[in-house]
């Protein structure tokens, strides 16, 4: 023995991930407190060493593409480590996928958002097929006959992996394929074609540069039909058991999200079914995209929560220069600042899930709010995630830079939600187009924000500035990011002022909206209640 091992931080396990004050309070506000019991069970599993080991193994053993069997037959199968299937089974069993669509209970989509947020802290990659399956139902409902056929399987809580006809499975998962080599976000530049056949189906021929979750059972695909770009439902296996002509060319070698398969595919006359009307593919699939954009916000909020809890845990158990890190003023400032960002992301995530739930139940004003607020949050919350992950990692020092800490995995994952479903520019411009076409959307947005009017002078000033920033249309597109950032911040601040403790709301408004804003984390004013803010970010061992 050359030395004793001491002053090392114990594993961050044995806690309830759902014991998150901002999350629990949000569920109660949005009529989903009935789900708290199941959420606690899922949170306890998420905080266990067993589940965290699943996450590690799934990332250390990424999927492998098998294009052919031993006899030379084309199979296009993706193999996963057993840990991936463990993660997926829990997600599906708890209804993180399409189960809320079958629920008549108010708050069903909020409860699902909370569970997605909690369980994704174990491992983010497997959230992709879960999210796609959830979102696919919104688009499928443009074709009631297809929805009637596929929804029961999509909503099933049975995880049934493997390529078989849908009729032989207890549950199915859905993916999506929109972008092509030459187009990216400009899907109207797609060249993949859909030829109508005599039996009412279509033959799809072409390619997709990004196919999300190619191991799924069915996909929503965009292709050029005789009347223009259209949306199609394309199954992997046909009813007679034969493989559809969808060829997986290779899996993407990605920065992060390594446990999940993303692929380049080609179609050689693949059989597909029209969803919605011919020529209205973007309008149809945008229903799915808006749902996955919500999950991008949830995913970024989830990553922030994971980062700050890991940072606080480390600082609580690690000492330097004679005292615990968590007691040192500058570290307290950094931790509290990270906690503010996390809580603001969680608050807006829950509000958007509530607006989604209410809009689906026919509340028009909630739908108008969602159309503007979702674009703002998709831009800003996802944009803040990488910097937050980097600062959280830095709180662990060199220990955070090694793979065993799991912080590098969080850092690699952090940019993804900002790219998925439209990068920052796309989200910002979508918001401007939305309010230009439907001014009522902006009225609904400020109607929400103005509920906190008079409670904080920084917020009142920022709201006036946000409204003024929309009055010069000649330069609006150039300023889109600045405008949308301010809209997102006033929404977050309004939610915190109304629903969070004064320590949180006051510090957020002063540091994000006040005249002495800091560009780096750790710039909170000396009068902030660091202790109260950090305490809300702590995880308690069960």
């Amino acid at each position: 023995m050359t030395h004793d091992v001491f002053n090392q931080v114990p594993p961050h396990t044995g806690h309830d991930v759902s014991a998150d004050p901002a999350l629990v309070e949000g569920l109660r506000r949005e009529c989903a407190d009935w789900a708290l019991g199941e959420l606690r069970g899922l949170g306890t599993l998420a905080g266990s060493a067993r589940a965290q080991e699943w996450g590690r193994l799934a990332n250390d053993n990424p999927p492998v593409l098998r294009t052919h069997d031993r006899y030379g037959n084309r199979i296009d199968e993706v193999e996963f480590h057993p840990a991936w299937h463990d993660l997926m089974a829990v997600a599906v069993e708890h209804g993180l996928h399409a189960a809320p669509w079958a629920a008549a209970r108010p708050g069903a989509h909020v409860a699902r958002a909370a569970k997605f947020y909690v369980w994704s802290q174990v491992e983010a990659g497997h959230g992709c097929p879960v999210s796609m399956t959830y979102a696919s139902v919104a688009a499928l409902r443009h074709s009631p006959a297809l929805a009637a056929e596929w929804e029961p399987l999509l909503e099933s809580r049975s995880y049934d992996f493997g390529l078989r006809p849908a009729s032989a499975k207890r549950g199915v998962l859905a993916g999506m394929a929109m972008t092509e080599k030459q187009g990216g976000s400009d899907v109207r530049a797609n060249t993949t074609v859909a030829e109508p056949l005599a039996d009412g189906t279509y033959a799809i021929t072409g390619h997709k540069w990004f196919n999300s979750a190619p191991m799924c059972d069915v996909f929503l695909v965009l292709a050029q039909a005789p009347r223009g770009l259209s949306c199609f439902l394309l199954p992997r296996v046909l009813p007679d058991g034969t493989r559809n002509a969808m060829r997986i060319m290779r899996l993407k070698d990605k920065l992060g999200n390594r446990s999940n398969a993303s692929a380049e595919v080609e179609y050689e006359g693949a059989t597909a079914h029209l969803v919605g009307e011919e020529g209205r593919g973007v309008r149809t699939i945008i229903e799915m995209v808006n749902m996955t954009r919500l999950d991008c916000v949830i995913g970024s909020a989830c990553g922030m929560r994971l980062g700050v809890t890991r940072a606080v845990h480390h600082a609580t158990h690690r000492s330097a220069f004679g005292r615990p890190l968590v007691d040192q003023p500058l570290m307290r400032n950094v931790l509290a600042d990270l906690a503010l960002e996390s809580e603001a992301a969680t608050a807006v995530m829950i509000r958007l899930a509530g607006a989604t739930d209410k809009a689906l139940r026919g509340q028009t004003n909630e739908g108008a709010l969602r159309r503007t607020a979702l674009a703002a949050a998709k831009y800003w919350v996802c944009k803040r995630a990488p910097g937050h992950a980097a600062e959280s990692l830095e709180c662990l020092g060199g220990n955070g830079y090694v793979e065993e800490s799991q912080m590098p995995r969080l850092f690699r994952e952090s940019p993804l939600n900002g790219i998925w479903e439209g990068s920052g520019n796309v989200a910002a411009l979508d918001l401007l187009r939305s309010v230009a076409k439907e001014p009522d959307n902006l009225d609904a947005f400020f109607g929400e924000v103005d509920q906190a009017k008079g409670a904080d002078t920084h917020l009142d000033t920022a709201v006036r500035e946000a409204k003024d920033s929309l009055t010069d249309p000649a330069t609006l597109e150039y300023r889109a990011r600045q405008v949308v950032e301010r809209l997102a911040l006033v929404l977050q601040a309004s939610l915190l002022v109304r629903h969070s403790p004064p320590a949180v709301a006051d510090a957020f408004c002063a540091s994000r909206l006040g005249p002495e804003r800091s560009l780096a984390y750790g710039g909170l004013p000396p009068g902030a209640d660091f202790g109260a803010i950090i305490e809300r970010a702590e995880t308690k061992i069960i």
Side-chain angles (χ1 to χ4, degrees):
M1 294 292 291
T2 61
H3 62 282
D4 294 327
V5 176
F6 65 98
N7 196 28
Q8 285 288 319
V9 177
H12 190 230
T13 59
H15 59 278
D16 175 5
V17 175
S18 76
D20 175 348
L23 180 70
V24 172
E25 292 160 9
L27 257 65
R28 290 184 173 130
R29 288 195 303 274
E30 298 294 345
C31 306
D33 52 345
W34 50 265
L36 284 172
E38 184 181 1
L39 187 65
R40 289 190 193 101
L42 184 63
T44 301
L45 178 58
S48 70
R50 178 173 60 136
Q52 292 188 23
E53 181 67 358
W54 289 344
R56 183 189 71 81
L57 289 170
N59 276 271
D60 288 354
N61 299 275
V64 176
L65 173 63
R66 307 294 184 192
T67 56
H68 295 77
D69 67 13
R70 59 181 292 193
Y71 305 106
N73 299 307
R74 188 93 198 202
I75 56 174
D76 296 286
E77 293 196 356
V78 184
E79 292 182 358
F80 290 86
H81 189 274
W84 166 274
H85 298 297
D86 290 330
L87 293 164
M88 287 296 301
V90 171
V92 172
E93 177 187 342
H94 284 82
L96 276 64
H97 60 315
W101 297 100
R105 196 168 193 175
H109 291 268
V110 181
R112 179 260 169 195
K115 289 187 282 188
F116 189 78
Y117 169 93
V118 164
W119 187 240
S120 293
Q121 290 182 49
V122 176
E123 198 287 311
H126 82 293
C128 177
V130 172
S131 179
M132 296 289 142
T133 304
Y134 170 64
S136 67
V137 175
L140 263 183
R141 290 187 171 180
H142 283 268
S143 290
L146 282 176
E149 177 183 355
W150 285 93
E151 269 195 48
L153 286 168
L154 291 166
E155 294 164 357
S156 168
R157 293 202 180 200
S158 296
Y159 175 61
D160 192 355
F161 185 80
L163 293 180
R164 299 186 301 282
S167 60
K169 301 193 73 172
R170 293 173 288 117
V172 300
L173 297 173
M176 178 170 61
M178 296 199 315
T179 60
E180 299 181 6
K181 292 183 179 74
Q182 72 286 345
S185 295
D186 183 10
V187 295
R188 295 191 184 279
N190 285 3
T191 60
T192 296
V193 298
E195 178 187 357
L197 303 177
D199 63 359
T201 64
Y202 288 72
I204 308 291
T205 302
H207 84 282
K208 294 296 171 184
W209 189 228
F210 281 92
N211 178 277
S212 298
M215 63 287 184
C216 288
D217 302 281
V218 66
F219 301 89
L220 287 178
V221 176
L222 287 179
Q224 299 286 358
R227 296 181 182 176
L229 192 64
S230 305
C231 181
F232 297 91
L233 183 75
L234 191 152
R236 284 289 312 276
V237 181
L238 299 174
D240 63 3
T242 59
R243 305 287 175 92
N244 206 353
M246 169 183 160
R247 314 302 185 203
I248 303 177
M249 308 310 291
R250 63 173 176 169
L251 300 184
K252 297 286 193 181
D253 187 8
K254 298 171 292 185
L255 167 68
N257 203 249
R258 299 188 69 83
S259 69
N260 175 49
S262 304
E264 298 166 23
V265 302
E266 293 183 0
Y267 310 112
E268 302 175 5
T271 300
H273 307 270
L274 180 66
V275 181
E277 301 176 38
E278 257 197 36
R280 298 173 70 84
V282 173
R283 183 180 290 267
T284 301
I285 209 166
I286 201 68
E287 299 288 347
M288 182 177 189
V289 171
N290 280 332
M291 289 295 174
T292 49
R293 283 179 175 172
L294 172 61
D295 279 4
C296 289
V297 177
I298 298 171
S300 291
C302 156
M304 289 185 192
R305 175 65 182 175
L306 176 61
V308 72
T309 56
R310 287 291 173 91
V312 170
H313 176 77
H314 179 87
T316 300
H317 294 278
R318 179 81 165 179
S319 294
F321 309 109
R323 54 179 170 163
L325 287 172
V326 74
D327 291 338
Q328 301 189 26
L330 189 52
M331 178 59 82
R332 289 173 71 76
N333 199 325
V334 172
L335 294 173
D337 213 354
L338 290 170
L340 290 180
E341 195 72 37
S342 173
E343 180 153 349
T346 300
V348 78
M349 169 207 95
I350 286 290
R351 182 65 185 94
L352 287 170
T356 298
D357 196 84
K358 293 166 189 170
L360 290 169
R361 297 178 188 282
Q363 295 187 32
T364 305
N365 192 61
E366 290 288 310
L369 167 65
R370 181 180 181 274
R371 280 189 289 277
T372 306
L374 179 57
K378 168 66 171 72
Y379 170 76
W380 183 241
V381 175
C382 298
K383 189 65 66 183
R384 294 290 279 174
H388 192 279
E391 194 70 58
S392 298
L393 182 156
E394 188 177 325
C395 288
L396 277 65
N399 291 310
Y401 203 69
V402 298
E403 292 292 338
E404 290 165 311
S405 73
Q406 298 183 20
M407 298 302 280
R409 190 204 314 170
L410 172 65
F411 182 66
R412 288 192 298 270
E413 191 74 22
S414 62
L416 183 56
N417 287 304
I419 298 169
W420 262 346
E421 314 308 358
S423 59
N425 286 355
V426 172
L429 294 173
D430 276 355
L431 188 151
L432 297 186
R433 280 191 289 267
S434 166
V435 299
K437 291 173 62 176
E438 300 179 78
D440 288 350
N441 294 349
L442 196 59
D443 292 339
F445 180 88
F446 282 116
E448 174 76 16
V449 169
D450 284 341
Q451 291 183 48
K453 188 173 183 179
D456 186 279
T457 56
H458 296 311
L459 176 55
D460 289 344
T461 300
V463 172
R464 288 194 298 271
E465 292 173 351
K467 292 176 179 178
D468 290 343
S469 71
L470 293 159
T471 59
D472 182 8
T475 64
L476 196 53
E477 187 168 332
Y478 295 101
R479 297 182 292 109
R481 285 186 170 219
Q482 179 185 11
V483 170
V484 174
E485 172 186 324
R486 184 50 57 104
L487 291 175
L489 283 170
V490 298
L491 175 60
Q492 288 181 317
S494 174
L495 291 168
L496 295 181
V497 165
R498 285 180 282 150
H499 305 305
S500 293
V504 171
D506 293 348
F508 185 89
C509 291
S511 59
R512 272 62 171 175
L513 305 176
E516 298 182 2
R517 295 188 289 273
S518 172
L519 296 179
Y521 288 106
L524 300 183
D529 190 344
F530 299 117
I533 297 169
I534 293 170
E535 184 179 1
R536 282 173 69 82
E538 289 180 318
T539 51
K540 305 295 192 298
I541 303 301
I542 299 173

